[in-house]
Amino acid sequence: MKLMQSWVESANSATTDFPLNNLPCGVFSINGEDPRCGMAIGDYILDLTALEAEGILQLGAAALFDVPFWNEVMEAGPAVWADLRAQVTAMLAAGASKRWIVEDHLVAMDSARLHLPLMVAEYTDFYSNRHHATNVSAILHGTKAALPPNWLHMPIAYNGRASSVVVSGSEVRRPWGQIKGAEFDAPIFAPSRRFDFELELAAVIGVASDRPVTVAEADAMIFGYVVLNDWSARDIQAWEYQPLGPFQAKATATTISPWIVMQAALEPFRTVTTAPEMALLPHLCAPGPMLYDIALQVAITPEGGAETVVSRTNYAEMSYASAQQLAHHTTGGCPMSVGDLLGSGTISGPAQDARGCLLELSWGGKEPVAIAGGARRFLEDGDTVTLRGAAQGDGFRIGFGACTGKLIAALADPYAR
Amino acid sequence: MKLMQSWVESANSATTDFPLNNLPCGVFSINGEDPRCGMAIGDYILDLTALEAEGILQLGAAALFDVPFWNEVMEAGPAVWADLRAQVTAMLAAGASKRWIVEDHLVAMDSARLHLPLMVAEYTDFYSNRHHATNVSAILHGTKAALPPNWLHMPIAYNGRASSVVVSGSEVRRPWGQIKGAEFDAPIFAPSRRFDFELELAAVIGVASDRPVTVAEADAMIFGYVVLNDWSARDIQAWEYQPLGPFQAKATATTISPWIVMQAALEPFRTVTTAPEMALLPHLCAPGPMLYDIALQVAITPEGGAETVVSRTNYAEMSYASAQQLAHHTTGGCPMSVGDLLGSGTISGPAQDARGCLLELSWGGKEPVAIAGGARRFLEDGDTVTLRGAAQGDGFRIGFGACTGKLIAALADPYAR
């Protein structure tokens, strides 16, 4: 697939995340005004709320962009998603006749504040990358390391907290929690000392369902994808997670990229799902390529320092794709809602510098990771973590925009009022 | 505390769940009309939506009952909750001057359909009853039985699925899922054969928070309580729950009572929280009595058969109260929302017939529980499970209304369309 030419010049660059081929979905505001829906194009945001209000963009009888989130568009269904892409592509394509009307509704991205692009209904986090699961097992259990027995048969998951999902750029405060060192009999209540990021991609569910769905049906329910940082307090997690799974360790914040890349924009980058090591039960088998070739990276920038990329991996390293995860999610009859967010789980590659979290990169804190001006076992106050993802086309890239978060110091006393 | 006399005669009975002292919050509809908010009083529902629309009930500038859920009332805050109770108590008290105006807005409960009383924001399920945790450990691990090491230090929990919460009276379909017998190498995909209920009480959060809260602050954030049945597929759970906790085993349905009993109605029944076996960390210590003396029971009624009460227990058997659970929930900075639902975890007592689920009652399926006309290891298709709860006052009771659900057969083929 080739770059689609736009009259927005900055969209024709080989290095922008937002060529005309992409058209990702976001919510923005300027000058403190009410947030509005828009699509990124080069260095600009196309103001869809204004275009719809003026009747230039028409997606049916009811207004879909009069709210500051994309859930109403998602609810309108896949035919509307396709219609939206077609109309906006026509408006922005090189030589578009409507250019003179549309031009007034381009907002410079660097003048805009970006908001959460959707109301997250519920948030689920999976554990579906073989390298990550194997590394974690080895780090926690040493020579007894082995994948959990169910791991090769289903995409393991836990329910997370939708209320903790924040947009890129939000500060993240180091949490307090119960922590128990191996050398002590009882836990203490203290700020986490092993605070970590997790590099993930997450599917945004755009079609509701109240019965089990096949992998093919699940794939058609996905509106798009975001890059996601599942911040994790490893010391809190180690003490709390048996027997019911992670809870407060994952509840501080989950940061997502400001742009939802629609599934349609990723279609040219579909790639085969890794062949499972054991035959999957039929209801989890992928009927075709369900992963995408999306290059991912993590960078750490200390307070006042320079950025260091500490990991480079690819979404194609996943053992289960989002569609398989969603199909599993519905097996017990669990109703799925528009706006549900399904995190892939940490995405690691086979190489040492392709691991998707510090727990793996520093091998449980034993091997510090070099960054400009220092090293990290786990995150330090003031560190900014930046995740980036992009599918590379022929002379263009489909990106998500940076997914950043700065870790700020824990409250001195969480109960001081 | 004595019975408060009402001019609604059926509210003065010693056996109604809904005396004037109670005034629980529900949502109802009649003749297929739009659902409205109401409070139960004896055999009637007081139509608050109509009373507010007519200006008889006034809780401030904005309408709170023009939506079919209680979230807006909760958002209005504790002062409004108290004002509401005061106004409705005055309307319904024996000798009330407004009786002639109010009388027209009583709806016979047996003519009404009851709906979910709130929009559940997120649902968390705890594991905070010592008898239950000890029994489960013994059933699963036999002679190696022991509480998890963290259990005595914190209320263990996992996040559940808000989308699965349904109101009493909803049918529950037996789920399919991955099941692995010890005698097989690989799992099968089949309907659950070990489907169970769990008797719980759940707190409805009425005040939002975005930072850690003390137990006293948490207590003040609770709007009220419901009785809750956390339906559980034990065979699915056994295979999936390691290492990230229960997922599809708990996602089929969670049934709540149709009435939220406000915390104010339960105040006279506060009772001491069981002294913890080990000293809790200060942020989890209860500053006063945080549990309630609420008698609870579970009954099973087979298709076309008679009801058998299979368990009788009490909410006072909990090791951690809802306020302690909520305080723990916020330790890591997890934002809490209006409408969050916090299940207590299964409530068992020390006696054999005080166990809150069939897993315990039948000791892992080994000892069938006698019911009228048969016996149960786990639930059978057609079984109706009814949970009841009530605090017993002097000549009156504060009840939740029955929390019922009928188990219907699994889909023959979940993917047939």
Side-chain angles (χ1 to χ4, degrees):
Chain A
M1 186 163 203
K2 297 274 182 188
L3 171 72
M4 295 164 69
Q5 293 285 334
S6 171
W7 53 260
V8 179
E9 274 309 318
S10 56
N12 299 329
S13 147
T15 57
T16 180
D17 270 358
F18 312 120
L20 183 54
N21 309 55
N22 192 347
L23 297 180
C25 312
V27 170
F28 71 100
S29 63
I30 41 173
N31 306 323
E33 292 170 11
D34 286 344
R36 287 176 276 173
C37 293
M39 280 177 150
I41 180 76
D43 297 339
Y44 295 86
I45 302 169
L46 183 64
D47 184 342
L48 300 181
T49 300
L51 287 169
E52 186 187 57
E54 296 192 7
I56 303 164
L57 177 67
Q58 291 186 318
L59 292 171
L64 299 177
F65 290 114
D66 56 347
V67 289
F69 39 79
W70 278 75
N71 299 58
E72 295 201 358
V73 175
M74 293 193 258
E75 295 239 21
V80 169
W81 312 344
D83 186 19
L84 168 65
R85 287 186 72 79
Q87 289 191 44
V88 174
T89 300
M91 287 179 199
L92 296 174
S97 60
K98 286 192 181 167
R99 171 173 176 170
W100 65 278
I101 315 181
V102 172
E103 222 159 13
D104 284 348
H105 299 296
L106 285 181
V107 173
M109 197 177 288
D110 59 14
S111 71
R113 183 178 157 203
L114 296 172
H115 302 264
L116 212 51
L118 77 161
M119 283 198 304
V120 179
E122 298 193 61
Y123 166 50
T124 311
D125 195 29
F126 285 82
Y127 185 59
S128 298
N129 174 279
R130 176 72 189 251
H131 309 293
H132 173 66
T134 306
N135 287 339
V136 167
S137 183
I139 291 163
L140 297 184
H141 308 296
T143 50
K144 292 179 295 172
L147 287 173
N150 49 15
W151 200 95
L152 294 170
H153 298 281
M154 64 166 79
I156 299 294
Y158 67 96
N159 299 298
R161 266 302 282 196
S163 66
S164 75
V165 179
V166 296
V167 72
S168 173
S170 306
E171 289 184 336
V172 173
R173 189 177 286 286
R174 182 185 295 275
W176 284 65
Q178 280 201 23
I179 298 164
K180 189 186 159 297
E183 66 279 30
F184 298 108
D185 285 341
I188 58 170
F189 186 61
S192 170
R193 293 160 197 179
R194 293 164 70 96
F195 201 66
D196 200 356
F197 58 81
E198 285 191 342
L199 168 63
E200 304 193 16
L201 201 75
V204 175
I205 307 307
V207 177
S209 161
D210 61 0
R211 57 176 294 163
V213 298
T214 65
V215 175
E217 288 167 340
D219 195 48
M221 289 166 62
I222 296 173
F223 176 73
Y225 292 83
V226 292
V227 168
L228 182 147
N229 182 349
D230 179 36
W231 302 92
S232 301
R234 301 299 180 193
D235 39 8
I236 298 172
Q237 187 173 357
W239 172 235
E240 78 175 358
Y241 90 106
Q242 284 290 4
L244 299 186
F247 185 55
Q248 287 306 286
K250 302 278 193 168
T252 302
T254 305
T255 303
I256 64 172
S257 60
W259 299 104
I260 306 172
V261 174
M262 290 174 76
Q263 195 182 43
L266 292 170
E267 280 306 322
F269 305 98
R270 267 191 196 263
T271 182
V272 288
T273 308
T274 311
E277 201 159 323
M278 276 187 213
L280 289 171
L281 284 161
H283 70 289
L284 292 179
C285 289
M290 288 283 153
L291 290 172
Y292 299 95
D293 180 1
I294 301 172
L296 298 160
Q297 60 162 252
V298 187
I300 297 177
T301 311
E303 185 87 63
E307 179 177 299
T308 305
V309 174
V310 295
S311 179
R312 286 184 176 83
T313 179
N314 195 297
Y315 179 60
E317 295 287 354
M318 295 301 300
S319 305
Y320 296 94
S322 296
Q324 291 168 299
Q325 294 174 330
L326 176 54
H328 175 64
H329 208 319
T330 67
T331 48
C334 181
M336 302 305 298
S337 311
V338 170
D340 279 343
L341 185 68
L342 272 58
S344 61
T346 307
I347 306 169
S348 295
Q352 193 164 346
D353 59 358
R355 297 171 182 163
C357 61
L358 278 172
L359 178 72
E360 291 171 82
L361 286 163
S362 73
W363 209 254
K366 288 187 193 143
E367 301 165 14
V369 178
I371 62 168
R376 290 290 179 275
R377 298 169 194 273
F378 291 96
L379 293 171
E380 295 187 5
D381 292 346
D383 283 354
T384 294
V385 176
T386 303
L387 314 185
R388 294 186 183 89
Q392 187 62 54
D394 182 5
F396 71 98
R397 43 188 281 155
I398 301 289
F400 295 79
C403 174
T404 73
K406 180 176 174 180
L407 179 63
I408 59 173
L411 291 168
D413 172 0
Y415 302 106
R417 293 293 183 267
Chain B
M1 185 162 204
K2 297 276 185 188
L3 171 73
M4 295 164 70
Q5 293 286 332
S6 170
W7 52 261
V8 180
E9 272 310 316
S10 56
N12 300 327
S13 147
T15 58
T16 181
D17 269 0
F18 311 120
L20 184 52
N21 309 54
N22 192 348
L23 298 179
C25 311
V27 170
F28 71 99
S29 63
I30 43 173
N31 307 323
E33 293 170 9
D34 286 343
R36 288 177 276 173
C37 293
M39 280 178 150
I41 180 76
D43 297 338
Y44 295 86
I45 301 168
L46 184 64
D47 183 343
L48 300 180
T49 299
L51 286 169
E52 186 188 59
E54 296 193 7
I56 304 164
L57 176 68
Q58 291 187 317
L59 292 171
L64 300 178
F65 291 114
D66 56 347
V67 289
F69 39 79
W70 278 75
N71 299 58
E72 295 202 356
V73 175
M74 293 193 259
E75 295 240 20
V80 168
W81 311 345
D83 186 18
L84 169 66
R85 288 186 71 80
Q87 288 190 45
V88 174
T89 300
M91 287 178 200
L92 295 174
S97 60
K98 286 192 181 167
R99 171 173 175 170
W100 65 278
I101 315 181
V102 171
E103 223 159 15
D104 283 349
H105 299 297
L106 286 180
V107 174
M109 197 177 290
D110 59 14
S111 71
R113 184 178 157 203
L114 297 172
H115 303 263
L116 212 51
L118 77 162
M119 283 198 303
V120 179
E122 298 193 62
Y123 165 51
T124 311
D125 196 28
F126 285 81
Y127 185 60
S128 298
N129 175 279
R130 175 73 190 250
H131 309 293
H132 173 66
T134 306
N135 287 339
V136 167
S137 182
I139 292 163
L140 297 184
H141 307 297
T143 50
K144 292 180 293 172
L147 288 173
N150 50 15
W151 201 95
L152 294 169
H153 297 281
M154 65 167 78
I156 299 294
Y158 67 96
N159 299 299
R161 264 304 282 197
S163 67
S164 74
V165 178
V166 296
V167 72
S168 174
S170 306
E171 289 183 336
V172 174
R173 188 176 288 286
R174 182 185 295 275
W176 285 65
Q178 279 201 24
I179 298 165
K180 189 185 158 299
E183 67 278 29
F184 298 107
D185 285 341
I188 56 169
F189 186 61
S192 170
R193 294 159 198 180
R194 294 162 70 96
F195 201 67
D196 200 357
F197 59 81
E198 286 191 342
L199 168 62
E200 304 193 16
L201 203 76
V204 175
I205 307 308
V207 177
S209 161
D210 62 1
R211 56 178 293 166
V213 298
T214 65
V215 176
E217 287 167 340
D219 195 48
M221 289 166 63
I222 297 173
F223 176 74
Y225 291 83
V226 292
V227 169
L228 181 148
N229 183 349
D230 179 36
W231 302 93
S232 301
R234 301 300 181 192
D235 38 9
I236 297 172
Q237 187 174 357
W239 173 235
E240 77 175 358
Y241 91 108
Q242 284 290 5
L244 298 186
F247 184 56
Q248 286 307 286
K250 303 279 195 170
T252 302
T254 304
T255 304
I256 64 171
S257 60
W259 299 103
I260 306 171
V261 174
M262 290 174 75
Q263 195 182 43
L266 292 170
E267 280 305 322
F269 305 98
R270 266 192 197 263
T271 184
V272 287
T273 308
T274 311
E277 204 159 319
M278 277 185 212
L280 288 171
L281 284 161
H283 69 289
L284 292 178
C285 290
M290 288 283 152
L291 291 173
Y292 300 95
D293 180 1
I294 300 172
L296 298 159
Q297 60 162 252
V298 187
I300 297 177
T301 310
E303 185 86 64
E307 178 177 299
T308 304
V309 174
V310 295
S311 179
R312 286 185 175 81
T313 179
N314 196 298
Y315 179 62
E317 296 287 353
M318 295 302 299
S319 304
Y320 296 94
S322 296
Q324 292 168 298
Q325 294 174 330
L326 176 54
H328 175 63
H329 208 318
T330 66
T331 48
C334 181
M336 303 303 299
S337 311
V338 170
D340 279 343
L341 186 67
L342 272 58
S344 60
T346 306
I347 305 169
S348 295
Q352 193 163 349
D353 60 357
R355 297 170 182 164
C357 61
L358 277 172
L359 179 72
E360 290 170 83
L361 286 163
S362 74
W363 208 253
K366 289 187 193 142
E367 301 166 15
V369 178
I371 63 166
R376 290 291 179 274
R377 297 169 195 273
F378 292 96
L379 294 171
E380 296 187 4
D381 292 347
D383 284 353
T384 295
V385 176
T386 303
L387 314 184
R388 295 186 182 89
Q392 188 62 54
D394 182 6
F396 71 98
R397 43 188 281 156
I398 301 289
F400 295 79
C403 173
T404 74
K406 182 178 173 178
L407 179 63
I408 60 173
L411 292 168
D413 173 0
Y415 302 106
R417 293 291 184 270

